[in-house]
Amino acid sequence: MLQSFLIPNVLECGCDEAGRGCLAGSVFAAAVILPPDFTNEELNDSKQLTEAQRYRLRPIIEQAATAWGIGEVTAQEIDEINILNASILAMHRAINQLKIQPEHIIVDGNRFKPYKFIPYRTIVKGDAKFLSIAAASVLAKTYRDDYMQQLHKEFPMYHWNENKGYPTKQHRMAIRQYGSCAYHRMSYKLT
């Protein structure tokens, strides 16, 4: 059972990202503030859920959340500032989208940079421990998947509808055959 809050009675925001290991496309992040009474038996780290479960949970999270936001950092920005900085920037952009400023931020993983003057804590495997981080992981993953489906229509030869930009054998073979495109991360080893 996932915990509701790290610090009770504080407006706490959970953050997570999706798409760090991809060869193509933006990295997405989500920030979610859940109400104190929120519960959901199915909610978990998005990697532990099926695609159908993630898309079933997304409207539940969006409707129940006190506030939620999505942040995106493009492939070009990733190439300029590196994926770690891009992931953190995407989380900052997601927090910027919140209609309420949190009093505390909890982040999946072990790296973050201060956002304004709000205290934060990084939590390794936080998406499997805290509801708000799990909710953020579901939103980040589904919004990124939607984005990759759109890019697939423009560049079907890379099969992004299936691999979502991750370095599958099929994706690497397509890059060898067709070359890279504007959505590929040129700072990554593509083939």
Side-chain angles (χ1 to χ4, degrees):
M1 184 76 179
L2 276 62
Q3 291 177 249
S4 294
F5 299 98
L6 181 65
I7 303 173
N9 306 314
V10 164
L11 206 56
E12 191 169 75
C13 160
C15 288
D16 199 6
E17 53 68 34
R20 272 185 76 150
C22 296
L23 302 179
S26 301
V27 64
F28 275 65
V32 179
I33 300 173
L34 292 172
D37 59 348
F38 179 84
T39 58
N40 186 293
E41 294 296 317
E42 193 175 26
L43 183 56
N44 199 348
D45 165 15
S46 66
K47 293 182 289 299
Q48 305 299 319
L49 302 170
T50 65
E51 184 174 26
Q53 287 174 312
R54 289 192 293 269
Y55 278 98
R56 188 167 56 246
L57 283 164
R58 183 163 96 179
I60 294 168
I61 293 162
E62 291 175 351
Q63 288 163 20
T66 305
W68 61 274
I70 303 293
E72 176 185 359
V73 175
T74 67
Q76 289 76 18
E77 290 176 294
I78 292 166
D79 288 339
E80 287 170 24
I81 64 174
N82 81 41
I83 189 60
L84 174 62
N85 288 321
S87 297
I88 293 168
L89 178 58
M91 288 190 251
H92 283 202
R93 287 178 177 170
I95 299 166
N96 284 340
Q97 299 299 314
L98 296 173
K99 62 180 190 247
I100 303 166
Q101 183 164 289
E103 299 168 328
H104 188 251
I105 301 166
I106 53 176
V107 180
D108 182 51
N110 61 359
R111 302 291 288 278
F112 193 66
K113 291 179 182 173
Y115 177 85
K116 298 185 178 176
F117 296 100
I118 302 171
Y120 69 88
R121 176 91 53 92
T122 57
I123 301 162
V124 174
K125 300 197 187 315
D127 48 5
K129 296 174 184 172
F130 291 93
L131 286 168
S132 63
I133 301 178
S137 80
V138 167
L139 294 190
K141 174 74 173 135
T142 55
Y143 276 92
R144 187 177 190 284
D145 284 357
D146 289 351
Y147 158 82
M148 292 307 293
Q149 290 286 1
Q150 286 300 115
L151 296 190
H152 170 73
K153 292 174 186 170
E154 198 177 339
F155 293 96
M157 70 282 255
Y158 299 116
H159 305 282
W160 290 336
N161 59 327
E162 297 167 19
N163 63 50
K164 308 298 191 280
Y166 282 93
T168 62
K169 185 185 271 186
Q170 176 191 50
H171 188 184
R172 289 194 192 275
M173 282 174 59
I175 295 167
R176 280 195 286 275
Q177 185 174 353
Y178 301 105
S180 61
C181 75
Y183 295 107
H184 279 102
R185 301 174 185 176
M186 303 314 290
S187 57
Y188 280 48
K189 186 178 184 324
L190 296 177
T191 57

